[in-house]
Structures are given as structure tokens and as C-alpha cells.
């Protein structure tokens, strides 16, 4: 069995489809598949995966539990910025229902996408403004994130996630 991985910086506007930008594609090959074939496969995976990624962000922003349940795997696990591990989709949905994830804005910038068969890894930066019971209410928060998507049947579902806050720079005392 030949396996391959692809990594690319992708263009994903918060409200547009994901597509390969004019940037280079890094290839990690396990076998002898041609670069053009692997790049075509990444481009083919990028659009539906990007659409799912955008839908998931909007569902989280709008607290659309029905959509989140559809987009998240039953086995979804989260290593949350609050230093808690939420072990399954039900636990994550409960966290959402308690108001711990409400926000007035939520943007993602995708910096890397790697697809390897039925697994896709998306990494980047999130910027959000928490509300309600969420930590850092009213502040603009920046986080690094990794989302791992797994193809279940013909559908990409979010399978695992890690996010951590980026601390605000310390104020410099001029004295």
C-alpha cells in the first residue's frame, strides 16, 4: 500500500470555499506517486473539507447544536484551552450548552492542511471575542489550533481538536 501526505498553505476566507492558493505544496511521499497526482488529490479534498471546516466554525459561533452534532464525530475529543480534556461529542456539546464557548466573533486563519487518506489535519490561528460564561469575556483572544478531520463513509467529520490561548504580550515598563 502506498501512502502519502500532503501539506499546503491554503486560502480560506471565513465565508468562502477553501482552495489551494498560489503557494507551494510540500509533499511527504511514501511510495512513488507523482507530485501532480498528489497535488490533484489535495485540491480534490480541500474543497469539501474546507466547506465542512467553515460550516463547523459558523455552527460554533452561532451555537447551532444540531449542525455541530452532524459535523462532529461521535468520537470527537477536545483538548480545550481551559486545560480540560472533553472526551467525546456529548461532553463537548454539554460544554457548549453551559455557555462556556459563546462568542460574539470567531475567525480562523488556516496555515497548513495535510491530507493522508481518510485523515486531514488543519492548523492555524483563531481570533475570537468570548461572551457569556466563557473565559476571557469581552477580550479579543488569539489561539493556535489543530483540528483533525476523519472521513467517516463519504463525509468528513471533526474527530479531534486542540486549541491553546496565545498570551497577550506583557506590557513593557519604560522605567
Amino acid at each position: 500500500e502506498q501512502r502519502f501526505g500532503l501539506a499546503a498553505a491554503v486560502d480560506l476566507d471565513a465565508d468562502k470555499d477553501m482552495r489551494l492558493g498560489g503557494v507551494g505544496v510540500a509533499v511527504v511521499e511514501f511510495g512513488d506517486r507523482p507530485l501532480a497526482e498528489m497535488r490533484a488529490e489535495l485540491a480534490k479534498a480541500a474543497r469539501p473539507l474546507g466547506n465542512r471546516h467553515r460550516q463547523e466554525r459558523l455552527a460554533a459561533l452561532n451555537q447551532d447544536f444540531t449542525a455541530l452534532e452532524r459535523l462532529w464525530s461521535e468520537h470527537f475529543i477536545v483538548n480545550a484551552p481551559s486545560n480540560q480534556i472533553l472526551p467525546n461529542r456529548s461532553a463537548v456539546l454539554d460544554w457548549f450548552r453551559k455557555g462556556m464557548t459563546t462568542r460574539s466573533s470567531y475567525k480562523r486563519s488556516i496555515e497548513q492542511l495535510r491530507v493522508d487518506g481518510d485523515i486531514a489535519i488543519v492548523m492555524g490561528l483563531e481570533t475570537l471575542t468570548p461572551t457569556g460564561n466563557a473565559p476571557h469575556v469581552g477580550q479579543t483572544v488569539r489561539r493556535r489550533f489543530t483540528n483533525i478531520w476523519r472521513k467517516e463513509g463519504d463525509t468528513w467529520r471533526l474527530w479531534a481538536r486542540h486549541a491553546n490561548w496565545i498570551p497577550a504580550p506583557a506590557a513593557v515598563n519604560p522605567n
Side-chain angles (χ1 to χ4, degrees), residues 114-132:
R114 177 172 290 169
V115 178
D116 186 355
D118 290 345
I119 299 289
I121 302 167
V122 181
M123 295 178 171
L125 175 71
E126 298 176 326
T127 305
L128 56 120
T129 305
T131 62

mmCIF file with all atom_site columns, all heavy atoms in Angstrom, residues 114-132:
data_model
loop_
_atom_site.group_PDB
_atom_site.id
_atom_site.type_symbol
_atom_site.label_atom_id
_atom_site.label_alt_id
_atom_site.label_comp_id
_atom_site.label_asym_id
_atom_site.label_entity_id
_atom_site.label_seq_id
_atom_site.pdbx_PDB_ins_code
_atom_site.Cartn_x
_atom_site.Cartn_y
_atom_site.Cartn_z
_atom_site.occupancy
_atom_site.B_iso_or_equiv
_atom_site.pdbx_formal_charge
_atom_site.auth_seq_id
_atom_site.auth_comp_id
_atom_site.auth_asym_id
_atom_site.auth_atom_id
_atom_site.pdbx_PDB_model_num
ATOM 1   N N   . ARG A 1 114 ? -2.961  19.125 5.837  1.00 0.00 ? 114 ARG A N   1
ATOM 2   C CA  . ARG A 1 114 ? -2.331  17.881 5.408  1.00 0.00 ? 114 ARG A CA  1
ATOM 3   C C   . ARG A 1 114 ? -3.421  16.831 5.292  1.00 0.00 ? 114 ARG A C   1
ATOM 4   O O   . ARG A 1 114 ? -4.215  16.661 6.219  1.00 0.00 ? 114 ARG A O   1
ATOM 5   C CB  . ARG A 1 114 ? -1.264  17.425 6.397  1.00 0.00 ? 114 ARG A CB  1
ATOM 6   C CG  . ARG A 1 114 ? -0.653  16.085 5.989  1.00 0.00 ? 114 ARG A CG  1
ATOM 7   C CD  . ARG A 1 114 ? 0.506   15.709 6.830  1.00 0.00 ? 114 ARG A CD  1
ATOM 8   N NE  . ARG A 1 114 ? 1.586   16.624 6.489  1.00 0.00 ? 114 ARG A NE  1
ATOM 9   C CZ  . ARG A 1 114 ? 2.706   16.728 7.196  1.00 0.00 ? 114 ARG A CZ  1
ATOM 10  N NH1 . ARG A 1 114 ? 2.888   16.007 8.269  1.00 0.00 ? 114 ARG A NH1 1
ATOM 11  N NH2 . ARG A 1 114 ? 3.654   17.571 6.820  1.00 0.00 ? 114 ARG A NH2 1
ATOM 12  N N   . VAL A 1 115 ? -3.436  16.155 4.168  1.00 0.00 ? 115 VAL A N   1
ATOM 13  C CA  . VAL A 1 115 ? -4.400  15.079 3.935  1.00 0.00 ? 115 VAL A CA  1
ATOM 14  C C   . VAL A 1 115 ? -3.607  13.804 3.726  1.00 0.00 ? 115 VAL A C   1
ATOM 15  O O   . VAL A 1 115 ? -2.679  13.769 2.920  1.00 0.00 ? 115 VAL A O   1
ATOM 16  C CB  . VAL A 1 115 ? -5.280  15.363 2.693  1.00 0.00 ? 115 VAL A CB  1
ATOM 17  C CG1 . VAL A 1 115 ? -6.241  14.205 2.456  1.00 0.00 ? 115 VAL A CG1 1
ATOM 18  C CG2 . VAL A 1 115 ? -6.045  16.661 2.864  1.00 0.00 ? 115 VAL A CG2 1
ATOM 19  N N   . ASP A 1 116 ? -3.981  12.758 4.459  1.00 0.00 ? 116 ASP A N   1
ATOM 20  C CA  . ASP A 1 116 ? -3.361  11.444 4.308  1.00 0.00 ? 116 ASP A CA  1
ATOM 21  C C   . ASP A 1 116 ? -4.491  10.432 4.344  1.00 0.00 ? 116 ASP A C   1
ATOM 22  O O   . ASP A 1 116 ? -4.966  10.056 5.415  1.00 0.00 ? 116 ASP A O   1
ATOM 23  C CB  . ASP A 1 116 ? -2.349  11.199 5.423  1.00 0.00 ? 116 ASP A CB  1
ATOM 24  C CG  . ASP A 1 116 ? -1.559  9.907  5.234  1.00 0.00 ? 116 ASP A CG  1
ATOM 25  O OD1 . ASP A 1 116 ? -1.861  9.143  4.290  1.00 0.00 ? 116 ASP A OD1 1
ATOM 26  O OD2 . ASP A 1 116 ? -0.651  9.649  6.039  1.00 0.00 ? 116 ASP A OD2 1
ATOM 27  N N   . GLY A 1 117 ? -4.963  10.060 3.171  1.00 0.00 ? 117 GLY A N   1
ATOM 28  C CA  . GLY A 1 117 ? -6.068  9.110  3.093  1.00 0.00 ? 117 GLY A CA  1
ATOM 29  C C   . GLY A 1 117 ? -7.328  9.684  3.700  1.00 0.00 ? 117 GLY A C   1
ATOM 30  O O   . GLY A 1 117 ? -7.813  10.720 3.263  1.00 0.00 ? 117 GLY A O   1
ATOM 31  N N   . ASP A 1 118 ? -7.827  9.024  4.744  1.00 0.00 ? 118 ASP A N   1
ATOM 32  C CA  . ASP A 1 118 ? -9.071  9.434  5.393  1.00 0.00 ? 118 ASP A CA  1
ATOM 33  C C   . ASP A 1 118 ? -8.853  10.346 6.597  1.00 0.00 ? 118 ASP A C   1
ATOM 34  O O   . ASP A 1 118 ? -9.769  10.558 7.387  1.00 0.00 ? 118 ASP A O   1
ATOM 35  C CB  . ASP A 1 118 ? -9.872  8.201  5.826  1.00 0.00 ? 118 ASP A CB  1
ATOM 36  C CG  . ASP A 1 118 ? -10.439 7.439  4.641  1.00 0.00 ? 118 ASP A CG  1
ATOM 37  O OD1 . ASP A 1 118 ? -10.469 8.008  3.531  1.00 0.00 ? 118 ASP A OD1 1
ATOM 38  O OD2 . ASP A 1 118 ? -10.856 6.285  4.818  1.00 0.00 ? 118 ASP A OD2 1
ATOM 39  N N   . ILE A 1 119 ? -7.649  10.877 6.750  1.00 0.00 ? 119 ILE A N   1
ATOM 40  C CA  . ILE A 1 119 ? -7.333  11.796 7.849  1.00 0.00 ? 119 ILE A CA  1
ATOM 41  C C   . ILE A 1 119 ? -6.854  13.121 7.260  1.00 0.00 ? 119 ILE A C   1
ATOM 42  O O   . ILE A 1 119 ? -6.064  13.139 6.315  1.00 0.00 ? 119 ILE A O   1
ATOM 43  C CB  . ILE A 1 119 ? -6.225  11.220 8.770  1.00 0.00 ? 119 ILE A CB  1
ATOM 44  C CG1 . ILE A 1 119 ? -6.661  9.904  9.406  1.00 0.00 ? 119 ILE A CG1 1
ATOM 45  C CG2 . ILE A 1 119 ? -5.798  12.242 9.819  1.00 0.00 ? 119 ILE A CG2 1
ATOM 46  C CD1 . ILE A 1 119 ? -7.738  10.038 10.462 1.00 0.00 ? 119 ILE A CD1 1
ATOM 47  N N   . ALA A 1 120 ? -7.331  14.217 7.820  1.00 0.00 ? 120 ALA A N   1
ATOM 48  C CA  . ALA A 1 120 ? -6.871  15.543 7.410  1.00 0.00 ? 120 ALA A CA  1
ATOM 49  C C   . ALA A 1 120 ? -6.551  16.335 8.674  1.00 0.00 ? 120 ALA A C   1
ATOM 50  O O   . ALA A 1 120 ? -7.296  16.285 9.656  1.00 0.00 ? 120 ALA A O   1
ATOM 51  C CB  . ALA A 1 120 ? -7.933  16.266 6.601  1.00 0.00 ? 120 ALA A CB  1
ATOM 52  N N   . ILE A 1 121 ? -5.444  17.054 8.638  1.00 0.00 ? 121 ILE A N   1
ATOM 53  C CA  . ILE A 1 121 ? -5.019  17.874 9.764  1.00 0.00 ? 121 ILE A CA  1
ATOM 54  C C   . ILE A 1 121 ? -5.007  19.330 9.292  1.00 0.00 ? 121 ILE A C   1
ATOM 55  O O   . ILE A 1 121 ? -4.389  19.645 8.282  1.00 0.00 ? 121 ILE A O   1
ATOM 56  C CB  . ILE A 1 121 ? -3.629  17.459 10.266 1.00 0.00 ? 121 ILE A CB  1
ATOM 57  C CG1 . ILE A 1 121 ? -3.641  15.975 10.665 1.00 0.00 ? 121 ILE A CG1 1
ATOM 58  C CG2 . ILE A 1 121 ? -3.186  18.348 11.427 1.00 0.00 ? 121 ILE A CG2 1
ATOM 59  C CD1 . ILE A 1 121 ? -2.266  15.387 10.880 1.00 0.00 ? 121 ILE A CD1 1
ATOM 60  N N   . VAL A 1 122 ? -5.709  20.165 10.037 1.00 0.00 ? 122 VAL A N   1
ATOM 61  C CA  . VAL A 1 122 ? -5.799  21.586 9.715  1.00 0.00 ? 122 VAL A CA  1
ATOM 62  C C   . VAL A 1 122 ? -5.221  22.351 10.902 1.00 0.00 ? 122 VAL A C   1
ATOM 63  O O   . VAL A 1 122 ? -5.626  22.127 12.042 1.00 0.00 ? 122 VAL A O   1
ATOM 64  C CB  . VAL A 1 122 ? -7.264  22.012 9.468  1.00 0.00 ? 122 VAL A CB  1
ATOM 65  C CG1 . VAL A 1 122 ? -7.342  23.483 9.103  1.00 0.00 ? 122 VAL A CG1 1
ATOM 66  C CG2 . VAL A 1 122 ? -7.913  21.143 8.392  1.00 0.00 ? 122 VAL A CG2 1
ATOM 67  N N   . MET A 1 123 ? -4.273  23.262 10.625 1.00 0.00 ? 123 MET A N   1
ATOM 68  C CA  . MET A 1 123 ? -3.625  24.034 11.692 1.00 0.00 ? 123 MET A CA  1
ATOM 69  C C   . MET A 1 123 ? -3.667  25.511 11.353 1.00 0.00 ? 123 MET A C   1
ATOM 70  O O   . MET A 1 123 ? -3.601  25.884 10.191 1.00 0.00 ? 123 MET A O   1
ATOM 71  C CB  . MET A 1 123 ? -2.164  23.619 11.841 1.00 0.00 ? 123 MET A CB  1
ATOM 72  C CG  . MET A 1 123 ? -1.968  22.211 12.288 1.00 0.00 ? 123 MET A CG  1
ATOM 73  S SD  . MET A 1 123 ? -0.189  21.866 12.364 1.00 0.00 ? 123 MET A SD  1
ATOM 74  C CE  . MET A 1 123 ? -0.234  20.282 13.153 1.00 0.00 ? 123 MET A CE  1
ATOM 75  N N   . GLY A 1 124 ? -3.764  26.327 12.401 1.00 0.00 ? 124 GLY A N   1
ATOM 76  C CA  . GLY A 1 124 ? -3.747  27.755 12.147 1.00 0.00 ? 124 GLY A CA  1
ATOM 77  C C   . GLY A 1 124 ? -3.996  28.587 13.386 1.00 0.00 ? 124 GLY A C   1
ATOM 78  O O   . GLY A 1 124 ? -3.717  28.171 14.506 1.00 0.00 ? 124 GLY A O   1
ATOM 79  N N   . LEU A 1 125 ? -4.575  29.760 13.138 1.00 0.00 ? 125 LEU A N   1
ATOM 80  C CA  . LEU A 1 125 ? -4.811  30.772 14.164 1.00 0.00 ? 125 LEU A CA  1
ATOM 81  C C   . LEU A 1 125 ? -6.291  31.110 14.213 1.00 0.00 ? 125 LEU A C   1
ATOM 82  O O   . LEU A 1 125 ? -6.925  31.266 13.164 1.00 0.00 ? 125 LEU A O   1
ATOM 83  C CB  . LEU A 1 125 ? -4.012  32.029 13.817 1.00 0.00 ? 125 LEU A CB  1
ATOM 84  C CG  . LEU A 1 125 ? -4.222  33.242 14.715 1.00 0.00 ? 125 LEU A CG  1
ATOM 85  C CD1 . LEU A 1 125 ? -3.593  33.005 16.078 1.00 0.00 ? 125 LEU A CD1 1
ATOM 86  C CD2 . LEU A 1 125 ? -3.617  34.481 14.059 1.00 0.00 ? 125 LEU A CD2 1
ATOM 87  N N   . GLU A 1 126 ? -6.829  31.227 15.414 1.00 0.00 ? 126 GLU A N   1
ATOM 88  C CA  . GLU A 1 126 ? -8.211  31.677 15.616 1.00 0.00 ? 126 GLU A CA  1
ATOM 89  C C   . GLU A 1 126 ? -8.182  32.982 16.384 1.00 0.00 ? 126 GLU A C   1
ATOM 90  O O   . GLU A 1 126 ? -7.342  33.175 17.264 1.00 0.00 ? 126 GLU A O   1
ATOM 91  C CB  . GLU A 1 126 ? -9.003  30.669 16.460 1.00 0.00 ? 126 GLU A CB  1
ATOM 92  C CG  . GLU A 1 126 ? -9.143  29.325 15.835 1.00 0.00 ? 126 GLU A CG  1
ATOM 93  C CD  . GLU A 1 126 ? -9.849  28.322 16.735 1.00 0.00 ? 126 GLU A CD  1
ATOM 94  O OE1 . GLU A 1 126 ? -9.702  28.362 17.970 1.00 0.00 ? 126 GLU A OE1 1
ATOM 95  O OE2 . GLU A 1 126 ? -10.537 27.472 16.169 1.00 0.00 ? 126 GLU A OE2 1
ATOM 96  N N   . THR A 1 127 ? -9.113  33.861 16.050 1.00 0.00 ? 127 THR A N   1
ATOM 97  C CA  . THR A 1 127 ? -9.299  35.101 16.792 1.00 0.00 ? 127 THR A CA  1
ATOM 98  C C   . THR A 1 127 ? -10.773 35.173 17.152 1.00 0.00 ? 127 THR A C   1
ATOM 99  O O   . THR A 1 127 ? -11.630 35.019 16.275 1.00 0.00 ? 127 THR A O   1
ATOM 100 C CB  . THR A 1 127 ? -8.892  36.325 15.943 1.00 0.00 ? 127 THR A CB  1
ATOM 101 O OG1 . THR A 1 127 ? -7.553  36.133 15.491 1.00 0.00 ? 127 THR A OG1 1
ATOM 102 C CG2 . THR A 1 127 ? -8.976  37.603 16.752 1.00 0.00 ? 127 THR A CG2 1
ATOM 103 N N   . LEU A 1 128 ? -11.065 35.373 18.432 1.00 0.00 ? 128 LEU A N   1
ATOM 104 C CA  . LEU A 1 128 ? -12.457 35.380 18.867 1.00 0.00 ? 128 LEU A CA  1
ATOM 105 C C   . LEU A 1 128 ? -12.648 36.325 20.032 1.00 0.00 ? 128 LEU A C   1
ATOM 106 O O   . LEU A 1 128 ? -11.693 36.723 20.706 1.00 0.00 ? 128 LEU A O   1
ATOM 107 C CB  . LEU A 1 128 ? -12.913 33.971 19.244 1.00 0.00 ? 128 LEU A CB  1
ATOM 108 C CG  . LEU A 1 128 ? -12.089 33.259 20.300 1.00 0.00 ? 128 LEU A CG  1
ATOM 109 C CD1 . LEU A 1 128 ? -12.947 32.912 21.482 1.00 0.00 ? 128 LEU A CD1 1
ATOM 110 C CD2 . LEU A 1 128 ? -11.498 32.010 19.687 1.00 0.00 ? 128 LEU A CD2 1
ATOM 111 N N   . THR A 1 129 ? -13.916 36.676 20.269 1.00 0.00 ? 129 THR A N   1
ATOM 112 C CA  . THR A 1 129 ? -14.289 37.518 21.403 1.00 0.00 ? 129 THR A CA  1
ATOM 113 C C   . THR A 1 129 ? -15.316 36.755 22.224 1.00 0.00 ? 129 THR A C   1
ATOM 114 O O   . THR A 1 129 ? -16.483 36.656 21.832 1.00 0.00 ? 129 THR A O   1
ATOM 115 C CB  . THR A 1 129 ? -14.865 38.867 20.925 1.00 0.00 ? 129 THR A CB  1
ATOM 116 O OG1 . THR A 1 129 ? -13.918 39.479 20.046 1.00 0.00 ? 129 THR A OG1 1
ATOM 117 C CG2 . THR A 1 129 ? -15.142 39.782 22.101 1.00 0.00 ? 129 THR A CG2 1
ATOM 118 N N   . PRO A 1 130 ? -14.903 36.162 23.360 1.00 0.00 ? 130 PRO A N   1
ATOM 119 C CA  . PRO A 1 130 ? -15.816 35.381 24.192 1.00 0.00 ? 130 PRO A CA  1
ATOM 120 C C   . PRO A 1 130 ? -16.901 36.249 24.843 1.00 0.00 ? 130 PRO A C   1
ATOM 121 O O   . PRO A 1 130 ? -16.687 37.427 25.142 1.00 0.00 ? 130 PRO A O   1
ATOM 122 C CB  . PRO A 1 130 ? -14.908 34.782 25.262 1.00 0.00 ? 130 PRO A CB  1
ATOM 123 C CG  . PRO A 1 130 ? -13.531 34.871 24.705 1.00 0.00 ? 130 PRO A CG  1
ATOM 124 C CD  . PRO A 1 130 ? -13.536 36.094 23.841 1.00 0.00 ? 130 PRO A CD  1
ATOM 125 N N   . THR A 1 131 ? -18.064 35.621 25.075 1.00 0.00 ? 131 THR A N   1
ATOM 126 C CA  . THR A 1 131 ? -19.183 36.243 25.781 1.00 0.00 ? 131 THR A CA  1
ATOM 127 C C   . THR A 1 131 ? -19.717 35.244 26.809 1.00 0.00 ? 131 THR A C   1
ATOM 128 O O   . THR A 1 131 ? -19.212 34.135 26.914 1.00 0.00 ? 131 THR A O   1
ATOM 129 C CB  . THR A 1 131 ? -20.312 36.633 24.791 1.00 0.00 ? 131 THR A CB  1
ATOM 130 O OG1 . THR A 1 131 ? -20.808 35.442 24.176 1.00 0.00 ? 131 THR A OG1 1
ATOM 131 C CG2 . THR A 1 131 ? -19.835 37.608 23.733 1.00 0.00 ? 131 THR A CG2 1
ATOM 132 N N   . GLY A 1 132 ? -20.763 35.638 27.516 1.00 0.00 ? 132 GLY A N   1
ATOM 133 C CA  . GLY A 1 132 ? -21.446 34.713 28.428 1.00 0.00 ? 132 GLY A CA  1
ATOM 134 C C   . GLY A 1 132 ? -20.553 34.210 29.536 1.00 0.00 ? 132 GLY A C   1
ATOM 135 O O   . GLY A 1 132 ? -19.871 34.977 30.211 1.00 0.00 ? 132 GLY A O   1
#
